[in-house]
Amino acid sequence: MRALIGIIIVVVVLALLGWITLNYREGQTSINFETEKARQDVDAAIDSVDRAADELAEERLQDDGFRDDGFDDQPVAPATDSTLTP
């Protein structure tokens, strides 16, 4: 029952996005998956994520406290192991 409800929810969401269309003709019903619309939406989403990642990287590079030398800015505490001292 949960699987059926899940499938119905997925179909409704895809229909709301315009990826699935229903056609009613004389005695025939068809369900079409609009691949071009889906491809355009996915491409637009990928472009949006790429732009957001680029903006985030740009902001991080412009931050005064950011150094990209591979080291943290936090100091390291000295070793307190007794085997290291003579």
Side-chain angles (χ1 to χ4, degrees):
M1 184 67 175
R2 289 181 186 173
L4 181 61
I5 292 172
I7 291 171
I8 290 171
I9 290 172
V10 168
V11 169
V12 168
V13 168
L14 291 177
L16 290 174
L17 289 173
W19 293 9
I20 292 180
T21 57
L22 303 173
N23 294 324
Y24 301 103
R25 295 188 184 156
E26 300 171 9
Q28 293 181 343
T29 302
S30 64
I31 300 173
N32 298 319
F33 184 77
E34 304 292 338
T35 55
E36 188 60 34
K37 170 76 170 140
R39 184 172 296 133
Q40 289 172 354
D41 290 347
V42 169
D43 288 343
I46 290 171
D47 290 342
S48 177
V49 168
D50 285 343
R51 280 193 308 273
D54 290 344
E55 289 175 9
L56 183 61
E58 182 79 22
E59 288 175 11
R60 190 165 183 196
L61 287 174
Q62 291 177 356
D63 185 13
D64 294 336
F66 179 71
R67 288 188 320 194
D68 194 16
D69 58 3
F71 297 102
D72 291 335
D73 291 338
Q74 301 295 324
V76 177
T80 58
D81 190 2
S82 61
T83 59
L84 296 176
T85 56

